[in-house]
Amino acid sequence: MHGLHPLLLLCCVAHSYGLGHEFRFASYYGDHMVLQRAPERAVLWGYGTNAAKVTITVLGIQQNTSHTVTVEKRIWRVTLDPMKPGGPYLLRAVQQSAEGVQVRNLTDVLFGDVWLCGGQSNMEMTLLQVMNASEELSDLTKYPTVRVFTAALEMSDMELTDLPRVELVWTLPSAGVLGGGNFTHFSAVCWLFGRYLYESRRHPVGLVESCWGGTPVEAWSSERALQTCGLAKPKHSFQNAGASWDNTVLWNAMIHPLLNMTIKGAIWYQGESNTEYHQDLYNCTFPAMIDDWRMAFHQGSGGQTSPVFPFGFVQLSTYIKRSLSDAFPNLRWHQTADYGFAPNPRMKNTFMAVSLDLGDEASPWGSIHPRYKQDVAHRLTLGARAVAYGEKGVSFQGPFPQAIRLQGEYINITYSEKVSVTKSHTAFEVCCSSSQRDHRNASFAWVRAPIVETSSNVVVLSTDKCSDEVAALRYAWRDWPCQLKACPVYSADHALPAAPFMLPVKS
C-alpha cells in the first residue's frame, strides 16, 4: 500500500460493524463531518451494549444539548434538535452499562446541507481529470467548510444496515484527496456542485459520494422499485467491461446503509450503461428509482429527510461523433420520463443539467468522458438554487417549445423564453407521414427542416423537403448533435442549451 494517501490508508480497513458489541458510531460518522442543518434534524446512530444508556451531547459555543436513549438489539439511535448552520461542534457519545462508562467523540462537526452524489464513471471522474485541473486543485483551501466522504465500492445480495467499507472518511478538501487519481478518491462533479452551492448559499456543505463506473440504474434500485417497471431479479442483469451487475446489488451495499442519515438532496450522473441495457424501460426505471429513494430516505431518517427531496441529474453528453445510433438520443429523452424537461408531472422537484453540447473528442479517457465538468456542475447548481432552495429569478432550464404550429410549408416554434439562435440546416428534422405514430418508428425516415427565420422567442423552420404530411418534429436528435458549446439554440444570454425533443406536430 506504499504511496497511498494517509487518509486512504485509514479508510481501506473493513468495518465489521457490531463485532464484539463495540460501543461506537456507525461507519458513516466521523470527525470533520457535516450533519444536516435546520429545519431538518440530523440522525445519529451506532452500536452498543443491550439495555445500556447512551447520552449524546452536542457541545459548541452557540448551543449545548443532550439526548439519552437505551440500546436495543445492540443499536442506539438519536435524533438531534434542529441546528442552525455553522460550527464547529464536538459530539460526545457516552455509554453507561454494567461494564462501566465508555466515551466516543466526534470533533470539528459542522451543520449545513448534506447532498448525496451517485451514478457511474462520469460522476467518478476527479478534479485531476477535468479542464483546468491545476487551477481547480490550487483553490481547495478556500473552502474548508465543504467536506467530503466516499463509500467504498461494494456489492451485496442483501440489504445492509451499515456500509461494509469506507473509502474516504469525512475530510476537508485537499489536492491529495480531490486530485489523488483517476476515477477515485472523490468526484469532480460532486465537489464542484458543493463548492458552487457554498459560494451561493454560504452555509457548510457535506458531500457524500456513492457511485461506480459502468453500472446500470437497475443495480442502484431496490427490488420494489424495479417491480413497478416489470423487472424481476435475474442472476446477472448486465455485463460491462468484464463485470456482471445483478439488480439491486449496489442499492443493497452502497445506498441502503445510508438511509438513516438526513440529507438535503441528491445529484445523479448515470445512464450511459443503459443505452445498452433496458434502454426502452429507462423512462420507468429512473423515475421509479427516484421515487423509491425518496420514500426510503424519508422513512430511514424517521421523517427528517423530505419525502420529495430535490433530485438533480445530468442529461447525457456525447459518445461517438457521426454515429447513426439513436441510443443516446433515446436515453436522453427517457431521462426526462419522455417529457423533455425537468421538473415535469412525472418527476416533480427534480432539475436537469443538459450536457449534449459538451462533447470532448480529445478526452484522454475516451469521448464518453468529457472533461468540462465545471459546466455540468454549474448547470446543476442553478437547478438546485431554483428547485431546492426556491431562489427567485434563477434561470435553470434551457429553452423548450411552448407551442409548435404548422403553417403551410413552415413550422413556427414558440419557446418558453427568449432565445439565442445560430441558423442550422441539420439540427431540426421532421417526420413526414400521414400517421402521427410513425415518428416513434426508429426506421422511419426523417428529413431536415432548416432554420429560415428567428425572433426573440420564435424559430421558423422550412418543411419544403417533406413530401407528405408533417407528423412530428425533433431537435438535436443525434449522439453528437453539435460542436463544443455551439448548439443552435440557447437561452438569450447563451448560458443554457436547449434540451433535445421529439414532439408531434398538429396543423
Side-chain angles (χ1 to χ4, degrees), residues 262-298:
T262 308
I263 64 172
K264 176 66 176 180
I267 59 172
W268 178 257
Y269 196 158
Q270 187 275 337
E272 295 89 347
S273 289
N274 284 100
T275 62
E276 303 173 13
Y277 180 70
H278 287 162
Q279 177 194 127
D280 292 342
L281 285 177
Y282 202 85
N283 56 0
C284 179
T285 52
F286 181 42
M289 187 201 79
I290 296 173
D291 291 346
D292 190 69
W293 280 25
R294 285 170 166 170
M295 179 274 294
F297 272 93
H298 179 66

Side-chain angles (χ1 to χ4, degrees), residues 409 430-434 444-448 462-471:
E409 292 188 348
V430 289
C431 172
C432 310
S433 169
S434 57
F444 197 83
W446 289 78
V447 298
R448 296 173 180 177
S462 170
T463 66
D464 61 359
K465 298 183 184 300
C466 204
S467 57
D468 207 331
E469 295 181 26
V470 175

Side-chain angles (χ1 to χ4, degrees), residues 180-201:
N182 298 331
F183 302 103
T184 186
H185 298 187
F186 202 77
S187 159
V189 169
C190 189
W191 163 255
L192 291 165
F193 171 78
R195 193 192 98 187
Y196 298 158
L197 266 188
Y198 171 77
E199 290 173 345
S200 168
R201 308 293 301 175

Side-chain angles (χ1 to χ4, degrees), residues 19 71 103 112 209-210 242 288 306 344 362 377 390 399 459-460 476 489 494 498:
L19 185 63
V71 179
V103 179
E209 177 187 335
S210 187
S306 169
N344 59 57
V459 173
V460 181
V489 183
H494 206 77

Side-chain angles (χ1 to χ4, degrees), residues 101-117:
V101 176
Q102 293 175 283
V103 179
R104 300 289 182 266
N105 290 327
L106 299 179
T107 62
D108 188 31
V109 174
L110 304 180
F111 285 84
D113 284 332
V114 180
W115 285 83
L116 175 62
C117 304

